[in-house]
Amino acid sequence: MSLEQDIELLAMQPILASLPREALRLLAFSAEMRLLRAGDVLFRTGDRADGAYIVVTGTVALNPHDDGSPAQLTVGKGHLIGEIALFAEVERPATAIACETMTVMWINRSVMARVLAEFPDAAALIHAMLAQRLNQLSTELAGVGQNLSAIGP
């Protein structure tokens, strides 16, 4: 893929869409392309996550159980895997295995931090977006808690 195609792929990600083109260019230039064959493991449940992946070509199976059971989710081209790992140190919640020959773009968290430091207005927009998502999740969890309470102990 060309640098311009990489920038377009990054711009398609909702969490990155607020970044100016120059920031996307820096991310694209710093990103690493990785080629996987069918059956290759991208990462395993519990691995330390130091960045995110975007599926460029092919598909990847995601399964929270690292026991050979069938995958619970399969994602393909354009899907961002590990979004939170761009901003915080977390563990991978699932094992990711290539379903076919595929290419992923890897974005390192430290590179993302440098880009956000250079573009503070975009960083503020991303912060607000993540805060809104967290608020929505809290609201949804409160509703689940109320439903569970209604069922009883």
Side-chain angles (χ1 to χ4, degrees), residues 33-73:
M33 292 297 193
R34 296 185 180 175
L35 177 66
L36 291 93
R37 296 167 300 177
D40 283 353
V41 175
L42 186 57
F43 52 78
R44 293 202 177 278
T45 303
D47 285 354
R48 186 177 74 81
D50 56 357
Y53 296 92
I54 299 175
V55 178
V56 178
T57 62
T59 55
V60 62
L62 300 167
N63 193 342
H65 310 291
D66 195 6
D67 60 4
S69 62
Q72 292 189 352
L73 177 65

Side-chain angles (χ1 to χ4, degrees), residues 115-133:
V115 167
L116 293 177
E118 289 186 40
F119 298 91
D121 291 342
L125 289 171
I126 289 173
H127 180 268
M129 182 184 299
L130 291 172
Q132 180 182 11
R133 286 185 190 176

